[in-house]
Amino acid sequence: MDIVRLATTSALVGLIVAGGVSSCGFGSGTAGLDDARPTTVDVYAASSLTDVYSEIEQRFEDANPDIDIRLNLAGSSTLARQINDGAPADVFAPADLSILDQLEPNIIQASVTPPEPYAKNRLVLVVPAGNPQSIEQLIRLEQSDILTAKCISGVPCGDATDRGLASAGIELGLVTEETNVRSVLAKVVAGEVDAGFVYQTDAKVAAEVNVVEGFDSPAVQLVAIDLNASRPPDSARSSSVESKEASARFVSYIGSEQAETILTSAGFEQP
Amino acid sequence: MSSSIRAVPRSVVAVGIVGVTVLAVPLAAIIFEAPWAEVGSHLGSAETKSAIRVSMIVSFSAAALSVLLGVPLAFILARSNIRGKALLRTVITVPLVLPPVVTGVALLAGFGRRSVLGQLLGFGLSNSMTGAILAATIVAMPFLVLSVEGSLHSIDPDYERVAAAFGAPPLARWWRIGLPLSRSAILAGAVLAWARALGEFGATITFAGNIAGVSRTLPLEIAVALESDPGRATAVSLLMLGVSLVVLVTLRDRWIRR
Amino acid sequence: MTTSGLSVDLKTTVNDFVLACEFEVPVGASLAVVGPNGSGKSTLLSALAGLVDVDRGRVVISGHVVVDSTKDLVVAPEKRSVAIVPQKSLLFPHMTVAENVAFGLRYRPVEDAESAISNVLKDVGLDRFRDRKPGQLSGGQQQRASLARALVVQPNLLLADEPLSNVDADSRHSLRSVMDQWRPPTQTQVIVTHGHHHAQAADLLVGLEAGRVAAFGEPRQLANDTKLDWLRDLLRASD
């Protein structure tokens, strides 16, 4: 009998703890009774989009004061894992189209098919300012004393680098693999590596690196998919009409001319 | 049995059960969800073997360095009356509370290519196995120092005084009396430091990079595999869980006694 | 004129307890230190061995000045020709009995150390226990080993803090003669004791009260002269 009462108490405490966590962890995406409160849209964007999405968020919110964009920035495949685990993402903007394959079929199936890329990006080879190792050609990277940083295989920037290197027939002599493209950039900027593969948009932001011409990488296709649109009304996170409408408005803004201007000036190419 | 449970209020026990559940559920889940059929082949893969090799070299070197450099510090903290002991203890404890990635950044500043030392030498210690060992040592040594220092307080300093009265000079007193008497404390501290070094991630990837066969330790291998081969990530995680359990069992008696 | 074996004039403070005393013992003599608990007997031994700091004063052991505060001189404990039998034995727990006894000889070598160790162990009755660790010995056996460790060094100054307190009454007598047997003619002995045997048999006696010398002299004389009741009782006691 003691055990039963203990179990009941434990379950209650557990519920209280869990409930407390969930209620402060994830805010509601729907506007409540208070009409003044803006509708929140949770946007899960790749870390390579940090700067450009911050700007888009600001412009969009200026134009749509009734909507609050909440950015969650991380590596694309990390975000995909979070979404598969039930994270309340309204919009998913990975660094490459290919990441969508990592989403559970039931999450992706009802979404817009096929997603239309709104921009593309490219990998470039960068070296620390002044190019201390005088790396002019890709073939230098095969030397075992030249340390190159790239993204881990399996994330968009890593896969695109792998494909570019394979088609150029280059095998890196000494390589350190970073979990995301910003770490690669940071190590090149710090001069801790001799070269690194980053997006051309990253190379544009960092003044302390030089781009080495001659690396022809396949482009990554940027897509933004509206997960909110396909979410059934009776799902755990019930979406109101306002919420769905807000998510749709943001996704269409990504494809708009205003967003295109921001993207182009950041170095993204037209799809 | 029930009388011993009532020694603690029922509500406190209930919170305790929730606590242990929070701790145990993820561990149980990784065991249940592991692709057991493939674990063997994953652990036998060239990538995993290379990471095991790197991890063994790095963690044992870091533990050895921690003992070599940390034991004297533990004695200073426990036995001497030098001024600035509080400051010394703070310096030693900082890596314990610092996020490892910050330790990594600090290491870059101190020993990286662009650091004063790096420019003086013409090379940095970053992106090398030496760097991985250094990073692991810095995060592991505080565990050894604090654990050994704690045990030293329970060893009667009068033994060393008696040795002095019998003619043993300071170094001999330390070597023949102080050190042997703290042998088991040092051993326990070394195991603790080794385990911490084995699990080191943030400082290693920041300072020593993630170079296969050089600085890609088991935790880094898990991070790599997570993106491309989740099954292997789980298999390597299981390996590390197993190692942790072995360490805990080794230290169990000690922790129960305290 | 007798040479001084031990000349003491010191003041020391340990945890707010002040010990201040002055006396002199001729070379080769034995001094019994008696007094109530907390009178400073153990502190005196520690100060002579150099294990506690001395506030001021002058200590001379067999002609060697080991403390002279006017010259800022303090000789480190390991450089004084002393050996100590601590109250709580304090055998090194990780060494065997034989290794414990050999400890001091490494720093103060004697001729044929091996047989000296065997002999002293035989004399204190521990020859069968030479390879045991202290943890495997009884309290009395530990005290014998601790005594052997000090005797074998044959120091100029032997400091013993109730060396026979844990030994059964029958063995005390024989161990006292072992102490005499291992005593070179130039050895001065300072023995803290609660027992009347050591107190009455010593050449000189110092009675401490609250960190001061309350009585000093030959035990036989003090037995008649002293105004201290506890000391008179001690010196007139018999089995």
Side-chain angles (χ1 to χ4, degrees):
Chain A
M1 185 196 142
D2 260 7
I3 298 296
V4 173
R5 287 180 63 176
L6 212 53
T8 316
T9 322
S10 298
L12 275 173
V13 175
L15 275 176
I16 292 163
V17 171
V21 168
S22 67
S23 68
C24 58
F26 316 115
S28 107
T30 57
L33 295 169
D34 187 357
D35 280 340
R37 236 165 82 197
T39 309
T40 305
V41 177
D42 282 304
V43 177
Y44 283 36
S47 51
S48 58
L49 303 174
T50 304
D51 303 322
V52 70
Y53 263 58
S54 300
E55 197 173 340
I56 288 175
E57 175 192 11
Q58 204 165 14
R59 296 281 178 80
F60 179 79
E61 284 173 352
D62 286 348
N64 302 275
D66 57 328
I67 299 176
D68 177 27
I69 299 297
R70 216 159 41 181
L71 288 181
N72 177 21
L73 298 158
S76 300
S77 47
T78 305
L79 295 173
R81 264 201 304 277
Q82 291 174 357
I83 293 168
N84 285 338
D85 283 343
D90 295 317
V91 177
F92 181 36
D96 188 30
L97 185 62
S98 65
I99 289 294
L100 298 183
D101 296 343
Q102 295 181 14
L103 290 182
E104 304 275 349
N106 64 330
I107 292 173
I108 190 83
Q109 82 196 148
S111 307
V112 198
T113 45
E116 211 42 57
Y118 60 88
K120 61 185 183 187
N121 205 351
R122 228 172 259 284
L123 268 298
V124 293
L125 176 63
V126 291
V127 293
N131 196 357
Q133 293 282 0
S134 314
I135 294 167
E136 309 292 352
Q137 284 178 319
L138 219 48
I139 193 86
R140 274 292 301 284
L141 304 184
E142 293 202 329
Q143 276 175 236
S144 62
D145 60 335
I146 297 292
L147 179 62
T148 308
K150 66 179 271 289
C151 291
I152 291 177
S153 304
V155 308
C157 56
D159 285 343
T161 307
D162 289 345
R163 275 179 278 148
L165 288 170
S167 72
I170 298 290
E171 266 191 53
L172 299 174
L174 190 60
V175 56
T176 175
E177 296 189 68
E178 302 296 321
T179 48
N180 66 69
V181 71
R182 294 286 159 143
S183 308
V184 175
L185 184 68
K187 291 213 164 170
V188 179
V189 168
E192 289 296 342
V193 296
D194 301 309
F197 291 99
V198 299
Y199 290 119
Q200 61 187 10
T201 49
D202 297 315
K204 201 169 165 163
V205 180
E208 306 92 333
V209 298
N210 296 359
V211 176
V212 178
E213 304 296 336
F215 177 60
D216 195 18
S217 88
V220 289
Q221 305 289 335
L222 278 72
V223 291
I225 59 161
D226 187 350
L227 298 168
N228 202 352
S230 60
R231 192 175 288 134
D234 59 343
S235 75
R237 211 175 98 88
S238 60
S239 298
S240 65
V241 179
E242 291 85 2
S243 164
K244 283 186 192 295
E245 205 265 328
S247 302
R249 234 196 295 170
F250 182 74
V251 171
S252 73
Y253 184 83
I254 300 280
S256 71
E257 262 177 53
Q258 293 99 307
E260 191 190 308
T261 317
I262 297 170
L263 287 161
T264 311
S265 68
F268 289 92
E269 296 171 21
Q270 286 303 297
Chain B
M1 176 200 136
S2 59
S3 71
S4 74
I5 284 184
R6 280 200 202 98
V8 178
R10 196 173 276 123
S11 48
V12 173
V13 174
V15 175
I17 290 175
V18 173
V20 80
T21 308
V22 168
L23 292 174
V25 161
L27 297 178
I30 199 175
I31 292 170
F32 283 124
E33 293 191 2
W36 283 103
E38 304 156 34
V39 164
S41 67
H42 280 312
L43 293 185
S45 73
E47 291 97 331
T48 311
K49 276 187 189 161
S50 156
I52 290 174
R53 189 187 72 92
V54 172
S55 258
M56 287 303 115
I57 298 175
V58 168
S59 60
F60 278 107
S61 307
L65 272 176
S66 296
V67 169
L68 217 62
L69 304 174
V71 167
L73 284 173
F75 270 87
I76 291 169
L77 289 181
R79 291 285 157 84
S80 87
N81 301 317
I82 53 156
R83 259 197 255 164
K85 217 158 88 169
L87 183 70
L88 181 66
R89 185 177 279 110
T90 307
V91 170
I92 293 168
T93 318
V94 161
L96 211 62
V97 294
L98 214 57
V101 61
V102 179
T103 305
V105 171
L107 276 166
L108 282 176
F111 303 111
R113 281 186 185 184
R114 296 262 174 100
S115 67
V116 175
L117 187 78
Q119 286 179 342
L120 218 65
L121 292 170
F123 63 92
L125 299 176
S126 51
N127 299 309
S128 65
M129 192 179 274
T130 316
I133 292 169
L134 195 61
T137 305
I138 287 178
V139 296
M141 198 162 75
F143 284 87
L144 179 122
V145 174
L146 296 184
S147 136
V148 173
E149 188 210 345
S151 309
L152 282 179
H153 287 301
S154 62
I155 296 172
D156 193 344
D158 277 348
Y159 288 117
E160 283 153 89
R161 294 208 186 100
V162 168
F166 278 99
L171 187 62
R173 301 204 284 268
W174 188 69
W175 186 251
R176 295 191 65 203
I177 308 294
L179 217 48
L181 287 185
S182 47
R183 207 188 64 137
S184 67
I186 293 170
L187 214 65
V191 174
L192 214 58
W194 176 77
R196 178 64 188 89
L198 188 70
E200 203 333 278
F201 177 82
T204 308
I205 196 165
T206 308
F207 179 61
N210 178 17
I211 307 172
V214 174
S215 57
R216 184 172 300 165
T217 56
L218 286 168
L220 272 62
E221 174 65 17
I222 292 174
V224 170
L226 207 52
E227 301 297 348
S228 51
D229 191 354
R232 190 149 55 87
T234 311
V236 179
S237 303
L238 280 174
L239 174 69
M240 298 207 68
L241 182 61
V243 170
S244 309
L245 288 177
V246 169
V247 170
L248 277 179
V249 169
T250 312
L251 289 178
R252 187 189 51 191
D253 291 344
R254 192 175 178 78
W255 279 339
I256 285 176
R257 233 189 293 139
R258 298 207 130 206
Chain C
M1 166 189 145
T2 42
T3 329
S4 171
L6 176 65
S7 159
V8 177
D9 171 13
L10 63 80
K11 176 169 171 282
T12 181
T13 313
V14 179
N15 299 334
D16 292 338
F17 172 80
V18 180
L19 169 75
C21 56
E22 189 179 346
F23 57 84
E24 197 161 336
V25 184
V27 72
S30 61
L31 173 77
V33 183
V34 297
N37 287 331
S39 58
K41 305 185 296 290
S42 297
T43 305
L44 174 63
L45 288 201
S46 292
L48 297 180
L51 305 181
V52 297
D53 289 337
V54 169
D55 299 342
R56 57 142 206 87
R58 186 176 150 88
V59 177
V60 187
I61 298 171
S62 296
H64 300 284
V65 182
V66 293
V67 175
D68 190 342
S69 57
T70 62
K71 291 177 186 156
D72 246 351
L73 172 86
V74 179
V75 173
E78 64 267 23
K79 291 181 183 142
R80 303 179 183 192
S81 178
V82 302
I84 190 163
V85 186
Q87 194 176 6
K88 34 179 186 168
S89 291
L90 289 173
L91 294 167
F92 306 124
H94 58 296
M95 298 182 186
T96 64
V97 169
E99 286 165 347
N100 265 283
V101 173
F103 188 86
L105 294 178
R106 175 186 277 246
Y107 307 102
R108 284 147 195 173
V110 294
E111 265 179 56
D112 197 4
E114 261 319 303
S115 54
I117 293 165
S118 299
N119 288 338
V120 79
L121 282 175
K122 200 179 296 163
D123 291 348
V124 298
L126 286 179
D127 42 344
R128 289 186 299 117
F129 300 95
R130 55 176 298 144
D131 295 325
R132 296 266 185 102
K133 292 276 175 68
Q136 301 166 295
L137 300 181
S138 71
Q141 288 168 330
Q142 289 185 20
Q143 210 164 32
R144 289 162 190 254
S146 179
L147 183 64
R149 175 174 66 178
L151 292 180
V152 77
V153 182
Q154 304 198 309
N156 285 340
L157 180 64
L158 179 79
L159 303 169
D161 200 344
E162 301 184 48
L164 305 179
S165 59
N166 277 332
V167 177
D168 58 278
D170 294 342
S171 309
R172 271 189 204 143
H173 179 73
S174 70
L175 285 171
R176 269 194 301 275
S177 60
V178 170
M179 286 177 75
D180 285 336
Q181 208 177 301
W182 279 86
R183 173 186 192 176
T186 52
Q187 182 178 86
T188 309
Q189 292 187 340
V190 177
I191 298 162
V192 171
T193 183
H194 280 299
H196 60 271
H197 287 287
H198 260 132
Q200 292 171 7
D203 300 316
L204 284 168
L205 180 142
V206 62
L208 294 180
E209 270 188 343
R212 313 274 150 170
V213 175
F216 183 77
E218 290 175 22
R220 200 174 296 265
Q221 192 104 35
L222 285 170
N224 297 322
D225 295 357
T226 186
K227 293 190 172 64
L228 302 171
D229 292 339
W230 59 267
L231 183 57
R232 194 184 316 112
D233 292 346
L234 180 73
L235 293 176
R236 289 179 180 176
S238 61
D239 287 329

